[in-house]
Amino acid sequence: MVLKRRAAVLAAAAALVLVPVAAGCSDDGGGTSSGGTESTAPLTPGADEPADPAAAKAEIARNWAAFFDPKTPVAERVKLLENGEKMAPVLGAFAGDKNAAQTAAKVKAVEFTSAAGANVTYDLLVGGNPALPDAKGTSVLQNGTWKVSVQTLCGLVQLSGASRVPGC
């Protein structure tokens, strides 16, 4: 019973936050994101973290907070999302939505999977309260910046029940 209630709350929170995103987008019949990452990080065989893990973790936390902060301009969010230019219509849909204006994210843990990739555990907050506690996402190093992955954004959109969002 507790698991059912938690699942319902999580689904409702995701829909509350993300359905406006899907509604603001239209599919132009174009393709989907390749999901590829064009990392500029030098990869060393066997390297499972960046050269300065503490600095990378701090940047990931800072960039995730900024990406999910409703006060961050769309142009800046584009720079904080993997392949952000391709996802600009999705990000633009957040801008005028009152529910999205109450959303934030707090990174709780970062575990590097490579010198250019990391698993991120975070709380998605609505009105300061955890709507999706201990959510899992990924961060990628692209063009010298640690970014929220398209996979993470599309996973949140999918949780909302939206389908056919451009780029996902």
Side-chain angles (χ1 to χ4, degrees):
M1 182 67 147
V2 171
L3 288 176
K4 265 188 175 179
R5 187 172 354 149
R6 179 182 163 119
V9 168
L10 294 179
L16 175 74
V17 172
L18 295 167
V19 167
V21 172
C25 298
S26 63
D27 193 342
D28 61 2
T32 60
S33 170
S34 68
T37 300
E38 298 169 15
S39 173
T40 58
L43 294 177
T44 306
D48 61 352
E49 61 183 27
D52 187 347
K57 285 180 182 182
E59 182 181 347
I60 289 169
R62 189 172 52 251
N63 290 352
W64 276 57
F67 178 78
F68 286 99
D69 184 340
K71 294 178 186 115
T72 301
V74 173
E76 185 63 26
R77 287 182 187 195
V78 165
K79 296 175 187 175
L80 298 174
L81 178 65
E82 175 190 22
N83 302 327
E85 292 294 329
K86 294 178 184 176
M87 299 298 289
V90 175
L91 298 177
F94 273 114
D97 183 72
K98 65 178 181 163
N99 294 323
Q102 299 178 33
T103 305
K106 180 180 179 191
V107 172
K108 297 172 74 176
V110 175
E111 180 183 331
F112 292 103
T113 57
S114 70
N119 292 326
V120 178
T121 302
Y122 65 102
D123 287 344
L124 188 65
L125 309 169
V126 176
N129 298 310
L132 292 172
D134 296 322
K136 305 293 184 196
T138 56
S139 188
V140 297
L141 184 63
Q142 186 178 50
N143 300 323
T145 301
W146 282 99
K147 301 180 179 190
V148 175
S149 71
V150 169
Q151 177 185 4
T152 298
L153 181 63
C154 290
L156 290 170
V157 171
Q158 185 178 26
L159 272 178
S160 76
S163 62
R164 298 202 48 134
V165 174
C168 288

